[in-house]
Amino acid sequence: MSCTDHLTEALRIRGYRMTSQRLVILQVLHDAAGHLSPLEVRDRAAASLPGLTEPTIYRTLEFLTKHGLALAAHVGSGKLVYEIARHHHHHVICRACGREVEIDHAVLKTLYAEIETFTGFHLNTSHLTFFGLCPDCV
């Protein structure tokens, strides 16, 4: 069974096809050790699917994010990066050295509930990035 079989099935259940572009990009995200920029995705996908264009990369990443198969995160300087949606988590990034720490979503569940109660909104994002200074840079 391929690592993307369950993702393919998730799309089919929603009435979408698993195109070759979607499959290659999901595989690239799955194999990555962390976040990738759209250009990094393009570079890694080029070996498997030559001719994959930059607009296709952006459209596919947006589609995969919208359907919960990929997660998008802002990591500062307006840069948006992507990763495969394995589990709900967040990040803290040091503004000085760039060190990144992953935080399980369970840590923020109470905060999410308080924000929902206060605003009446139903929060549907599960990938936030916080910025600060790590212990080494304080």
Side-chain angles (χ1 to χ4, degrees):
M1 178 182 252
S2 163
C3 60
T4 55
D5 283 349
H6 68 286
L7 301 175
T8 300
E9 185 59 26
L11 281 182
R12 282 196 186 115
I13 288 170
R14 296 178 190 148
Y16 296 100
R17 296 184 309 112
M18 179 58 80
T19 64
S20 58
Q21 295 89 347
R22 292 172 185 165
L23 184 59
V24 167
I25 291 171
L26 277 171
Q27 190 65 53
V28 165
L29 293 175
H30 179 272
D31 294 344
H35 297 96
L36 296 176
S37 72
L39 296 179
E40 290 170 320
V41 170
R42 181 200 63 197
D43 292 345
R44 293 181 186 198
S48 299
L49 197 60
L52 192 58
T53 65
E54 200 170 318
T56 300
I57 296 287
Y58 281 96
R59 274 194 313 273
T60 303
L61 287 170
E62 185 177 317
F63 174 87
L64 296 173
T65 301
K66 178 181 175 183
H67 292 283
L69 304 179
L71 298 173
H74 292 277
V75 292
S77 305
K79 187 177 177 186
L80 193 59
V81 294
Y82 297 85
E83 68 179 326
I84 196 81
R86 287 189 176 96
H87 62 283
H88 297 300
H89 66 280
H90 309 281
H91 298 95
V92 177
I93 299 176
C94 179
R95 288 206 184 268
C97 71
R99 178 178 169 208
E100 187 175 319
V101 175
E102 188 174 297
I103 303 169
D104 189 85
H105 181 67
V107 173
L108 297 177
K109 274 190 170 184
T110 302
L111 176 62
Y112 267 60
E114 288 177 18
I115 290 171
E116 288 178 340
T117 299
F118 182 75
T119 65
F121 279 69
H122 172 72
L123 300 178
N124 60 6
T125 184
S126 60
H127 204 204
L128 299 174
T129 304
F130 298 92
F131 297 91
L133 295 174
C134 72
D136 295 335
C137 294
V138 174

